[in-house]
Amino acid sequence: MEDASDSCFEVPPEGSGAEQPPASSQGNAVGEAENGDAAEKPLLPESSGPVQSEEGCDQMPPQEQSILEEQEQSSLAQWEQPEEVRREEQTSQNSALPENTASGTVTESMTEDNETIRRTGPNFEKTMQSENQEHFTGKVVQQDYHMPDVITVRVQTDSDSFQEVVVKIERPTYNKPFLGGFRNMRTGVEFHNAGSQTRCKKRPNKGTQSFCRETQTVWEKNKPQQTRNTTSTQMTKIGLYVSNMTDKLISPGKYFTAEEYHKRRLEAVIVLQKYFRRWHAINVVQNLREQKRLRLLWEAQEELRKKNEKEEKLRREYERKLNPKTREDFELLYHDLELWMQEETERINRTLTGAERKAALCALLEQEAQLIACFGRHKLNANEENQHKAILHLLDKCAQPKRWKAYDGKITEMDTQDMLRARELLEIYRSISTKDIPKDERTDVLLTLRCTVKEHECKLTQEIVELIDREIDLISREVKECNLEGLRKRICTLFLQYIKIPKVNPKVAGLLKVPQDPLKLYKNVYFCHSCENYLPSTEFLIPANSHTIGRCRLCYNLDNEARRRESYLKYRLILENLRKSEAGYQDDSQIVFLVQLTDLQYMIENIWNCQSALSAWGELYDLVMVRWDKQHEWSPWNTILLTKEEADAHLKLCNLQEAYEAAFIFRIKQKHIRAKNYFAQIPAMSSFLHRSDNQANASSYKTHNSSMKSTEVKEVH
C-alpha cells in the first residue's frame, strides 16, 4: 500500500473518476517547491482541470492550439491511469509503430516509463507535442482503448530471472474525493493531494438493524437587524410648487398603555362570545323545536295509522261475518255466537227468576238454533263457490306452462302437448259452466264438447253425449232455462270426471289427491274413531300432549262449532308471521315448522298469558312472536311475545344483559323452562332440547371463562 505522503500528483478536475498519476511527478513538484524556485499557492476545492502553460498558448495559432489542447487532454488521461495500465497502452502503441521503433524488451519499456515519469510537467507536455507533430503530421489520431479485466505483468525477481504475475483490475464504482492541493505559480501546474487506494474496512454485521438520529436540541439565536430604507421628500420651495390636494392630515391620538389595550381586546372578545352564544342558543332551540314538531307529527301520523288499521280490521271482520266464505269466517261467527250466548245467559240469570227465566232461556235457545241454521245455509253456498274455485284452480294448474329462469334473469316459458290439451279442456269447462249466455252460443259450446268427448269411447262419454243431445233438443223446443239447470249441472259434473282421467288429461295425474295406484292407498292411512273413516295422515291434528292419532280435522272443527266455538284466526296469524320471519333468517330453522296451532295456542294462553312481556298489551292482532336470542334459531324456549314495535326494537339489541334488568330476564327464563317441560313430551323435540342444552352450557362456560379472565387481569393490574 502506498503512503499518502508520497502520492501527490497531477489529476484532472473533480468528478472525472480517472486514476491518479504516480508519485514521481509529485515528488519533483514537491522538490521544486522546497528549493524555492517557484512560489506555491494553495489550491481551493473549487479549482478543476489542468492549467496550460502560457508559452504554448502564445506561440500557437488558434487551430493548432485547439489540436494541442486535445492532445494534452488525451496524454493527461493516459498519465492519470495506473502504471500497469500505461504499460499496456504503451505496448499497444509500440506494436502499432514501425518495427524499428517497437523493438525492445519489457524491461526496457519499464525503464523508459520510469524515466519518462521523472520528467517535469511542462517539459513532458512539450515533448509529447513535438512527438505528435513529428509522427502524426497534419492529423491527430485518437486511439480507443478499453482496459481488460485481467492483465499479465512480467516482474524481475533476480538479476536474470523474471516471473509473470496475473493482475486483476478493480474499477472503482465511485468518484474519488477531492482532498485539496496546490498550484505552481511559475508553471501554473495544479497538484492534488492523493488519497489511499486501499478499501475501507467494513464493519461486521451484528444481525440487528440499528438507527441513528439527530439530537432534538435546537440552538436558536436572535439578532435584531435594522435594514436601510433611503427615501427622499420633495418640499415646496422658491421656484417649485407642490400641490397638497391629495395630502392627508394625521393627528396623534390619545396614548393608551398595554393594560388598556388588552382590556379593550378582552371586552371585544366578550362581546363576540356573547353574540355567538346567543346565535348558537337560538339555533339549538330552533333545532329542538323542529325535532319536537317532527316527533309530534310522527306520533299523530302513527296514531292515525293505528286508528285506520283498527277501523279497517273491524270493517273486514264485519264484511267477513256478513258474507262468510272461508273456514276462518265461520269460526268468527260461531265464536261471536258463543260470546253472545254467554252474555245473554248471564243477563237472564241476573235479572229473571222462576218461570220467566225458563221461558227466556227457551227463547234464547230457539234464537241460537235459527242462527246456526242460517250459518249452515251460508256454509252450503260458500262451499259451492269454493268448490267451483277449487276446480278452476286445479284445471288452471294443469294448463300452466313450464317456467325456468335463465342466466340473465329472464323467465322462459314452454308449452308441451299435454299442456295445450289441458288448456283446451279448461276453456271448454269454463264455457259450459257459464250461465246466462245466448242459445246459439250455448249450442255451439255443446257441439264442441260433443266432438271433444267422442275422441274416447267409453260409458262416461256415451252418457255425456246423450245429455248433450237432450239439452240441444230442449233448447230447440224453447224450454225455460230454469228447467235446464239440473241437466247442465249433470253435464258439468260428468265432464269434470272426464277431465280427471289421466289418459284424457295427462297433466292432472300429479295433482289428484287420490293416487291412481291402489297400492299407495295403504300407506300413511289412519282410522278416525269419531267419523269412522280412513284418511291420510295429513288430515289429522297431532297436539304435543297426545299419545294416539285421535280425531281428524273435520271432527275437530265440528266439535268446535258445537261446543267450544273458539276462533283460531289470531293464533294462525301469529304462527304465519313467525314462520315468515324465521324463513327470512335462512339458517335452516326446523322447530317452528314442527309446532302446531294448538301448541302455539297453549304457549300464548298458559305461558305468556295472551299479553306482551314488556307492555302487557292484550290485543292478539297486534302481538308477534320473535326470537329471544337472535343468534340461535327460534324455539319455544327461545322466544318472547311482544307487540310489533317492541319486536322491531328487541331485534336491534346486541346485548340482552345490558338492555334488560335482571328481574325481567329471570321471568323470561322461567317461561322458557315451562315451555321446555311442555314440549319435552314430543319425541321429535328431544333432539332439539339436548342440542339447545349443549349450546347453553357452552355459552355459559365461555361467559364464565371470560369473567374469570377479566378478574385475573384486574388482580394483576
Side-chain angles (χ1 to χ4, degrees), residues 517-570:
D517 189 3
L519 297 177
K520 294 182 180 180
L521 294 173
Y522 296 98
K523 297 180 181 179
N524 297 328
V525 176
Y526 298 95
F527 179 72
C528 178
H529 296 277
S530 179
C531 61
E532 297 182 354
N533 292 326
Y534 288 93
L535 301 172
S537 59
T538 55
E539 297 295 329
F540 290 88
L541 291 173
I542 305 176
N545 55 357
S546 64
H547 300 280
T548 58
I549 296 299
R551 294 175 294 182
C552 63
R553 296 177 183 271
L554 184 61
C555 295
Y556 267 110
N557 295 333
L558 184 61
D559 181 69
N560 183 38
E561 293 175 0
R563 299 179 182 178
R564 294 174 297 172
R565 296 173 181 173
E566 295 180 356
S567 177
Y568 298 100
L569 177 61
K570 301 177 182 180

Side-chain angles (χ1 to χ4, degrees), residues 310-352:
K310 188 173 182 179
E311 292 178 356
E312 182 67 19
K313 181 188 66 176
L314 294 176
R315 186 182 62 80
R316 287 198 305 268
E317 288 185 359
Y318 184 73
E319 290 180 356
R320 295 176 69 176
K321 292 174 183 178
L322 286 180
N323 300 311
K325 295 179 180 180
T326 61
R327 183 176 58 188
E328 290 81 6
D329 299 344
F330 287 100
E331 285 182 358
L332 290 175
L333 285 176
Y334 282 106
H335 181 66
D336 292 345
L337 176 62
E338 182 64 22
L339 294 178
W340 178 74
M341 286 291 297
Q342 292 177 1
E343 292 177 359
E344 291 295 323
T345 303
E346 183 180 359
R347 182 184 61 81
I348 291 173
N349 292 333
R350 186 179 63 254
T351 57
L352 300 177

Side-chain angles (χ1 to χ4, degrees), residues 179-351:
L179 302 178
F182 59 92
R183 181 187 297 111
N184 194 329
M185 299 299 294
R186 184 175 62 83
T187 61
V189 179
E190 295 181 356
F191 298 92
H192 292 183
N193 296 334
S196 175
Q197 295 180 357
T198 306
R199 293 182 178 179
C200 59
K201 185 178 180 180
K202 294 184 178 180
R203 294 183 180 180
N205 188 9
K206 299 180 181 180
T208 58
Q209 187 177 5
S210 60
F211 300 92
C212 62
R213 63 179 181 180
E214 298 179 356
T215 59
Q216 298 181 357
T217 306
V218 179
W219 297 93
E220 296 182 354
K221 183 178 180 180
N222 297 328
K223 183 178 179 181
Q225 184 178 5
Q226 181 67 32
T227 60
R228 295 181 179 180
N229 188 9
T230 304
T231 59
S232 61
T233 306
Q234 182 67 50
M235 305 296 293
T236 302
K237 64 179 182 178
I238 299 174
L240 177 64
Y241 171 75
V242 179
S243 177
N244 57 358
M245 297 299 294
T246 59
D247 293 349
K248 295 181 180 179
L249 181 61
I250 299 175
S251 60
K254 182 182 178 181
Y255 177 78
F256 55 92
T257 61
E259 295 180 357
E260 295 176 352
Y261 170 76
H262 290 296
K263 183 179 179 181
R264 289 176 58 187
R265 295 294 300 271
L266 180 61
E267 291 176 355
V269 168
I270 292 173
V271 171
L272 291 175
Q273 289 184 353
K274 179 175 65 176
Y275 281 99
F276 173 77
R277 290 175 180 175
R278 180 176 180 273
W279 171 81
H280 183 67
I282 291 173
N283 290 340
V284 170
V285 171
Q286 288 180 354
N287 292 334
L288 293 176
R289 188 179 293 117
E290 182 67 17
Q291 292 179 4
K292 179 182 178 181
R293 186 185 66 82
L294 294 176
R295 178 68 182 182
L296 294 177
L297 180 62
W298 178 80
E299 290 180 355
Q301 291 177 355
E302 287 294 316
E303 190 70 22
L304 182 62
R305 182 183 62 83
K306 291 180 181 180
K307 183 179 179 180
N308 293 335
E309 287 182 356
K310 188 173 182 179
E311 292 178 356
E312 182 67 19
K313 181 188 66 176
L314 294 176
R315 186 182 62 80
R316 287 198 305 268
E317 288 185 359
Y318 184 73
E319 290 180 356
R320 295 176 69 176
K321 292 174 183 178
L322 286 180
N323 300 311
K325 295 179 180 180
T326 61
R327 183 176 58 188
E328 290 81 6
D329 299 344
F330 287 100
E331 285 182 358
L332 290 175
L333 285 176
Y334 282 106
H335 181 66
D336 292 345
L337 176 62
E338 182 64 22
L339 294 178
W340 178 74
M341 286 291 297
Q342 292 177 1
E343 292 177 359
E344 291 295 323
T345 303
E346 183 180 359
R347 182 184 61 81
I348 291 173
N349 292 333
R350 186 179 63 254
T351 57

Side-chain angles (χ1 to χ4, degrees), residues 87 106-107 110 153-166:
R87 290 174 183 173
V106 179
T107 306
M110 293 171 62
V153 181
R154 190 177 184 185
V155 182
Q156 184 177 0
T157 58
D158 293 334
S159 59
D160 57 350
S161 63
F162 298 91
Q163 183 182 359
E164 291 184 355
V165 180
V166 178

Side-chain angles (χ1 to χ4, degrees), residues 324-325 330 376-392 429 433 435 485 489 493:
K325 295 179 180 180
F330 287 100
R377 289 191 295 270
H378 282 288
K379 185 178 291 187
L380 292 176
N381 297 332
N383 289 337
E384 185 177 356
E385 293 181 3
N386 294 334
Q387 185 179 5
H388 182 68
K389 291 180 180 179
I391 292 171
L392 293 177
Y429 183 81
S433 59
K435 298 179 180 179
E485 289 182 0
K489 288 182 179 180
T493 304

